Amino acid sequence: MKSKNLVSLSVAAVFFVLSITGLLIYFGQGSHLVDHTHAWFGILFVAASIFHIVNNWSSITGYTKNRRTGAIQKEFVIPVVIVAIFALGIGFDLPVFKKLANAGKDLVRGERPRGGPMAQPKVDSIASAVETAYATAYTKGDTGALAAIMPVKTALLTEAGTILSGSDMQKNILKRTAPEVLKTKVDHAEALDDHMILVYGTATNSTATSPSVYTHLLKEQDKKWQIIAAQRAFPAVQ
């Protein structure tokens, strides 16, 4: 087995996957799976490239300098200049590079309304669906459905100032001795970006004497919206 052939083919294979995931991210079609694949194959590409450079070091040095005169070849200067231009342009966030970076997403998604990254009706619809699913799962005591909406690592700051996790919420449901009916009402929802929504609402619980206000941070991951952080408080008495 020839090491040069193995390394060259490895670089080509890894680059092929990187190209696909890179284009998906560029055109705004990324996801948790795509991002992780791109990151890991990026590491593999760096490793394979190092072996490729080591195996072809004599050829690479031959490309950079004229063996007769020792002068630097223009074939080496041009790539260096191009890389420097892009590195500086991206580093200083020059308008043309900023526009180019978002061109793929703009092409696929089109123009966004000025009010935010997502149209407000869509934001309201997502917030309402998540809050309804959360209240339904909580009321029914369905820990599986609750875990799908509020993962075990979700942080919840309660009215009493204690911090619970999504896992604690599930355990509390299993310890119930009497049924609870939770109702939520979304008062306002706003998109922070294409994958994050902040929800302000009012909740009533059949076991509580007064309603509470809450804030939920929703995040889309793998095309599913979940509550990743929450805070509850009693409204101030006027």
Side-chain angles (χ1 to χ4, degrees), residues 211-227:
S212 62
V213 293
Y214 67 85
T215 303
H216 285 170
L217 181 61
L218 312 184
K219 181 179 181 180
E220 183 188 29
Q221 186 167 291
D222 294 333
K223 298 183 179 180
K224 294 180 181 179
W225 286 92
Q226 297 177 318
I227 301 171

Side-chain angles (χ1 to χ4, degrees), residues 130-211:
V130 172
E131 297 302 329
T132 299
Y134 165 68
T136 300
Y138 187 91
T139 298
K140 291 182 176 180
D142 188 340
T143 55
L146 184 63
I149 298 295
M150 181 178 282
V152 294
K153 293 185 178 180
T154 296
L156 168 65
L157 180 62
T158 69
E159 299 91 337
T162 57
I163 298 178
L164 301 177
S165 66
S167 177
D168 294 327
M169 291 284 290
Q170 296 170 34
K171 292 176 182 177
N172 289 341
I173 286 178
L174 295 175
K175 294 178 182 178
R176 282 182 189 170
T177 57
E180 290 185 33
V181 177
L182 177 68
K183 294 182 179 180
T184 57
K185 176 180 175 294
V186 176
D187 298 322
H188 178 66
E190 60 180 271
L192 303 181
D193 58 31
D194 290 338
H195 304 284
M196 300 276 279
I197 295 176
L198 193 60
V199 180
Y200 303 93
T202 305
T204 57
N205 191 307
S206 58
T207 62
T209 57
S210 61

Side-chain angles (χ1 to χ4, degrees), residues 81-94 97:
V81 171
I82 293 174
V83 169
I85 290 174
F86 272 80
L88 292 172
I90 295 170
F92 287 100
D93 200 21
L94 297 180
F97 289 94

Side-chain angles (χ1 to χ4, degrees), residues 4 52-64 67:
K4 285 190 176 182
H52 180 73
I53 292 172
V54 171
N55 284 337
N56 296 276
W57 182 250
S58 59
S59 298
I60 292 173
T61 53
Y63 298 151
T64 59
R67 294 182 179 180

